[in-house]
Amino acid sequence: MAKNFKNDAITSRDENFAQWYTDICRKAELMDYSNVKGFIIYLPYGFAMWEQIKNFMDKRFKETGHSNVYMPMLIPESLLQKEKDHVEGFAPECAVVTRGGTNELEDPLIIRPTSETLFSELYAKQVKSYRDLPKLYNQWCSVVRWEKTTRPFLRGSEFLWQEGHTVHATEEEAREETLRMRDIYVETCRDLLAIPLITGRKTEKEKFAGAEETYTIEALMHDGKVLQSGTSHYFGQGFAKAFDIKFLDKDNKQKYIYQTSWGASTRLLGAIIMVHGDDNGLVLPPRVAPTQVVIVPIQSQKPGVLDKAYEVKAQLEKAGIRVSVDDSDKSPGFKFAEAEMKGIPVRIELGPRDIEAGHCVVAKRNDGTKTTVDLNDDLANTVLKTMDIIHEEMYAKAEEHLRTHITETNDYSQFGEILDTKGGYIKTNWCGDQACELKVKEDYQATSRCYEPDEASDDAVCPCCGKKAKHIIYYARAY
Amino acid sequence: MAKNFKNDAITSRDENFAQWYTDICRKAELMDYSNVKGFIIYLPYGFAMWEQIKNFMDKRFKETGHSNVYMPMLIPESLLQKEKDHVEGFAPECAVVTRGGTNELEDPLIIRPTSETLFSELYAKQVKSYRDLPKLYNQWCSVVRWEKTTRPFLRGSEFLWQEGHTVHATEEEAREETLRMRDIYVETCRDLLAIPLITGRKTEKEKFAGAEETYTIEALMHDGKVLQSGTSHYFGQGFAKAFDIKFLDKDNKQKYIYQTSWGASTRLLGAIIMVHGDDNGLVLPPRVAPTQVVIVPIQSQKPGVLDKAYEVKAQLEKAGIRVSVDDSDKSPGFKFAEAEMKGIPVRIELGPRDIEAGHCVVAKRNDGTKTTVDLNDDLANTVLKTMDIIHEEMYAKAEEHLRTHITETNDYSQFGEILDTKGGYIKTNWCGDQACELKVKEDYQATSRCYEPDEASDDAVCPCCGKKAKHIIYYARAY
């Protein structure tokens, strides 16, 4: 039964990765399409994963001194135009409100594609003295960017995210903040999502519109393509000067503030799917799983079976585990396959014979292994430990995949074959010229993902142009 | 010192209630204005109150079987037009997107004023069989309604809210759901916000566009005006028929579903301010207060004072209390006044002499009383108990205000004087004709807030027209 359900349900991952991805999004009931292109519906199961991510990150933001606020959804077109680089980056993607109520608007309003301009305007009002600094605000909201090609969670005309915006008295503090928030993204991926990363700086070409520096976290998907999964920007004083955000410092001088912003979005749901999923469906890291344990009663019509299932549920819930009993009238095989499709980390099988013998079967979604475990007071602890093991195993597997898909080479003629056959990252040297980045993109459809400044060895040369190299850089094909 | 801060800070409540309200919104740093009329900025302190409300309600929604989803922000104009009454209600208030990226849109898109149409469209796809029912979805988001006159939290062109949307197999179930969610709003007001309510049905004239029945919760403000604070709607099969939401029932017949929706918004922040606030600022019920306790060290430069303050903070935090130490370089009097403006329920004063004597002073914001409390292991419990007492006292005070501002009368000539002098509700009889409602509005600028069907006594007559009365109705002037 389970087999049939599986095979009918989704395309094989290696046969057609894109179709496999879409199949999981739909069959695991993560999302649905709406009638407006690029605008998706986050269904309960997908949204519950986002709630877990949100709770995890929000706690860390608050622990590091940030407060949540909510800024208007609409930005006057004239305001968006105040920072030159910023508006050039976003203008082509804007959704524009031209009518409000019964009136045509004189100054059209843009649905926020991001809120740097609004935060800058607010900070210009709020910040007068060094005593007002730093200001550390964050907001959870959706943003709209008119995209031509869209895919669930990966690229949409509307997506959910958080955007943090901070202003500081000194460059040093602002730079520390930029890295601190990048590190919280790394931590979220590692400790919640079991996703290892490459991190570094974006090149001039790839950085955020208006930023002086952009730090990125890049995750490697199963198909060898890469997903930018969060960014943290150091703005220097660009917005400060455009919006006149000044303060009176301790030395009695008027100074411009230093600014950052940082964002992570529902793209992370795409990362979870494509890093961990398999041909049977989603495979969820336990800490982000909306349901961590499903109890499947076997021969549930036999007396005592369902009661025992509910008893075990209560026991696990008491230990803080998110658990459900599948007491529907479907067959156990069908239930197994459904739980696999949804990626539920732990399945507990419980039949009359198990109950008689005083045990149950604990099956791990990530590797399919089954263990017989005693039905006693220690069960919840065993399950908690099992979930930690699953997390570690999933992280280790993803890390191994990442490690074996970073190819170090300085031989430009090899780039195409590496990208075509195994994918992943090419780690190489870079002279620092944008021309070489563009050449890689032109020749191999790969983009620079990030670089480490000044890390190239003394005798290193850029594989594209042969000139002296300055940096280590990672190229990859990306979503 | 404190006195000066107070008097300078805000207008007296009885002198100019509207100005007093705006002063609190600004001086307690709850919100700021943006450059787009009717769109406000929720600052950290205001947003933190909303987060408390959200957490409380979200927990109750989940306990009663609801799941969160997220629907697109934009609705095709053509979709909004599918339910006739609904579109007539909302069309004049819509913000319309006519440009996306570089293109003019063929079908303009409306920023959601509410999402009945989107949920109906989704449910029409999802629901096939009685097995798929009920569907119990909720979303937290912001909505846009183009308002001419706006006031912070009370009426804005954008506001934050939750909107629940459910579909059911039977009328009975849907009606139960409508009341269940109304009751959760009542519970939220009573147990979290210390706000007593009048609840009942909205008349035909006042009910939600497209609803068969609307239940409302109405809160009485200090100035005698009333604030509609949440509504729960029973739709019957109106949307079901417009959107063709049908299911195959157990009896093998195709049937239309029965539908509900229910919403509560950041208006509740306005209710908290206007029910509880006084001439010194906000007065927050402890359970919704972002900071429940502020510790003000007296002579904090003296050795040991700040250390003790942090020690007490740690002790209270351990008991789950939200507590801060005001260790700024302001004077104690200034700190007191600030804590009062922000409505922090409990203030702990702690000076060298207190520490020597082994006690501290605990002051209650709601009535200004001070108690000397021992600095020992029991302090956290004392504070927790004090907060419960504050909650009860605040509720009782608001309830007394409500009780004394419901005037029962059947003498139409008295309406004006009652409304002009003491305000509050006029509880009276109603024949059921809209003409009488309109007459009250015309004559006295009061609207029907809610009514109880079929509760008028046998010999009761409508005070407006003298015809036989059917219902008990509440009239009031409202925000």
Side-chain angles (χ1 to χ4, degrees), chain A residues 26 29 32-36 39-45 47-48 51 54 58 62 67-77 79 91-103 105 108-112 118 121-122 125-126 131 135 137 140 142-144 146 148 158 160 329, chain B residues 26 29 32-36 39-45 47-48 51 54 58 62 67-77 79 91-103 105 108-112 118 121-122 125-126 131 135 137 140 142-144 146 148 158 160 329:
Chain A
R26 304 287 288 117
E29 299 178 276
D32 202 342
Y33 298 99
S34 83
N35 275 339
V36 183
F39 288 73
I40 64 167
I41 295 165
Y42 294 77
L43 291 177
Y45 200 62
F47 194 79
E51 283 183 313
K54 201 172 149 175
D58 197 66
K62 283 174 178 159
S67 301
N68 284 334
V69 299
Y70 183 77
M71 300 296 276
M73 174 201 288
L74 299 180
I75 306 176
E77 205 166 43
L79 187 68
E93 304 183 351
C94 287
V96 189
V97 177
T98 58
R99 218 161 76 214
T102 48
N103 301 322
L105 303 180
L109 298 167
I110 310 296
I111 302 179
R112 63 178 159 232
L118 292 176
E121 192 178 49
L122 175 64
K125 280 204 283 181
Q126 285 191 330
R131 284 196 184 83
K135 289 277 181 202
Y137 291 171
W140 294 92
S142 78
V143 289
V144 171
W146 219 257
K148 289 199 180 71
E158 181 186 19
L160 300 171
D329 56 6
Chain B
R26 304 287 289 118
E29 297 178 280
D32 202 342
Y33 298 99
S34 83
N35 275 339
V36 184
F39 288 73
I40 64 166
I41 295 166
Y42 294 77
L43 291 177
Y45 200 62
F47 195 80
E51 283 183 314
K54 200 172 151 177
D58 197 67
K62 283 175 179 159
S67 301
N68 285 333
V69 299
Y70 183 78
M71 299 296 274
M73 173 202 288
L74 299 180
I75 307 175
E77 206 166 42
L79 186 71
E93 303 183 349
C94 286
V96 189
V97 177
T98 59
R99 218 161 74 215
T102 46
N103 300 323
L105 303 179
L109 298 166
I110 311 294
I111 302 179
R112 63 179 160 231
L118 292 176
E121 191 178 50
L122 175 64
K125 280 204 283 182
Q126 284 191 330
R131 283 197 185 85
K135 290 277 181 201
Y137 292 172
W140 294 92
S142 78
V143 290
V144 170
W146 219 257
K148 290 200 179 71
E158 181 185 20
L160 299 171
D329 56 8

Side-chain angles (χ1 to χ4, degrees), chain A residues 115-144:
Chain A
S115 306
E116 273 73 12
T117 52
L118 292 176
F119 279 92
S120 294
E121 192 178 49
L122 175 64
Y123 287 142
K125 280 204 283 181
Q126 285 191 330
V127 174
K128 303 287 168 215
S129 139
Y130 69 92
R131 284 196 184 83
D132 301 323
L133 293 170
K135 289 277 181 202
L136 309 172
Y137 291 171
N138 175 65
Q139 79 173 350
W140 294 92
C141 63
S142 78
V143 289
V144 171

Side-chain angles (χ1 to χ4, degrees), chain A residues 53 57 162 178-190 193 195-202 214-221 226-233 262-265 267-268 271 402 425 449-451 478:
Chain A
I53 294 172
M57 291 211 289
Q162 58 69 219
T178 311
L179 292 174
R180 181 182 302 117
M181 303 324 285
R182 190 270 312 259
D183 290 347
I184 286 181
Y185 294 150
V186 171
E187 195 185 310
T188 305
C189 287
R190 184 189 61 214
L193 311 180
I195 295 178
L197 302 163
I198 297 276
T199 93
R201 286 194 209 173
K202 285 286 183 194
T214 290
Y215 290 86
T216 181
I217 59 167
E218 305 275 325
L220 178 63
M221 306 297 106
V226 163
L227 185 71
Q228 177 182 310
S229 305
T231 44
S232 185
H233 315 293
W262 26 277
S265 75
R267 277 206 136 186
L268 289 170
L402 171 59
Y425 298 93
R449 305 315 307 161
C450 58
Y451 77 104

Side-chain angles (χ1 to χ4, degrees), chain A residues 71 77 157 208 234 288 291 299 355 365 385 409 415 454 465:
Chain A
M71 300 296 276
E77 205 166 43
S157 291
F208 183 79
Y234 169 68
V288 78
T291 303
Q299 296 184 274
I355 295 167
R365 172 66 181 92
K385 268 182 228 154
T409 179
F415 279 27
D454 311 324
C465 65

